[in-house]
Amino acid sequence: MEAHFSWWNFVLAKLHLGHEFEPVIAAMFATTVVIVLSLAGRLALGSGEAAIRPAGRLSLKGFFEAFTEFMDGMVSMVLGHHARQYIPHFGAIFFFIALSNLIGLLPGFSASTANLNAAFSIGIFSFIVYNVIGVWHSGLAYFKHFLGPPIPGLFILMLPIEIISNCVRPISLGMRLSVNMTADHTILGTFINLTKIGAPVIFYGMGTFVSIVQAFVFTMLSMVYVMMATADDH
């Protein structure tokens, strides 16, 4: 079977590292791009009146303004307007996952999010964050929701169920992201090999759509978990 060229493996070979580090270097590359684009966006924003003046044309500033409005709409819809302090957190998750997914569409590249370990690590990050936010919001009373309704004896049943339910969340987040991106990029690669001209454009469009949707789903579920962790009845 013919091996496909990979820029990640090329770099790893130069660094004398094994192919098992491929998702690591892919994630590092995506992180670097996110940081560079973020810094460039901040510089494009300007200061003073220029910073609050909307972009009048298609530009990096206009892109980040639209992206920030999009994230503000998502956060406000799920958590309410009072939760705007979480926009940078969820924006970073969405941007990183979407960018990693899209990088995997480029010839010679693979998405770190298609690797189960890498996707699972993002799920663990989301898991830690929403539990920390829950404790910060409610204090130690946050852990009362693991006991279920205040019915005598019910906590014996609810406690293990709630613990298992919470521990499964990062696994389900990671597996959903990894499986979907692996399937998407595999299908894209198969059809590109079968049809070299014309048809790949359609599948690149579908791949782009799936990449954005998976970033949206992961981010939305992370928001829902924060909403559940900060609910007043906790």
Side-chain angles (χ1 to χ4, degrees), residues 15 35 52 80-81 83 87 98 116 120-121 128 134 158 168 170 175 183 202-203:
L15 297 175
I35 293 173
I52 61 176
H81 294 286
I87 291 178
L116 181 58
F120 182 47
S121 67
I128 294 174
M158 294 301 299
V168 165
M175 287 190 64
I202 299 175
F203 292 100

Side-chain angles (χ1 to χ4, degrees), residues 101 104-105 110-117 119 174-190 210-211 214:
N101 294 346
L105 298 177
S110 61
S112 61
T113 47
N115 179 272
L116 181 58
N117 292 326
M175 287 190 64
R176 181 185 296 105
L177 177 61
S178 175
V179 170
N180 277 286
M181 295 320 303
T182 299
D184 175 66
H185 294 348
T186 300
I187 293 173
L188 175 64
T190 300
V210 171
S211 296
Q214 289 305 313

Side-chain angles (χ1 to χ4, degrees), residues 187-209:
I187 293 173
L188 175 64
T190 300
F191 278 96
I192 288 177
N193 289 333
L194 293 175
T195 55
K196 301 294 185 181
I197 301 175
V201 175
I202 299 175
F203 292 100
Y204 268 115
M206 293 177 60
T208 300
F209 175 75

Side-chain angles (χ1 to χ4, degrees), residues 86 89-90 93 124-134 226 229:
Y86 300 131
H89 166 67
F90 293 116
I93 289 178
I124 293 177
F125 173 72
S126 178
F127 171 80
I128 294 174
V129 168
Y130 83 71
N131 278 290
V132 169
I133 290 175
V226 170

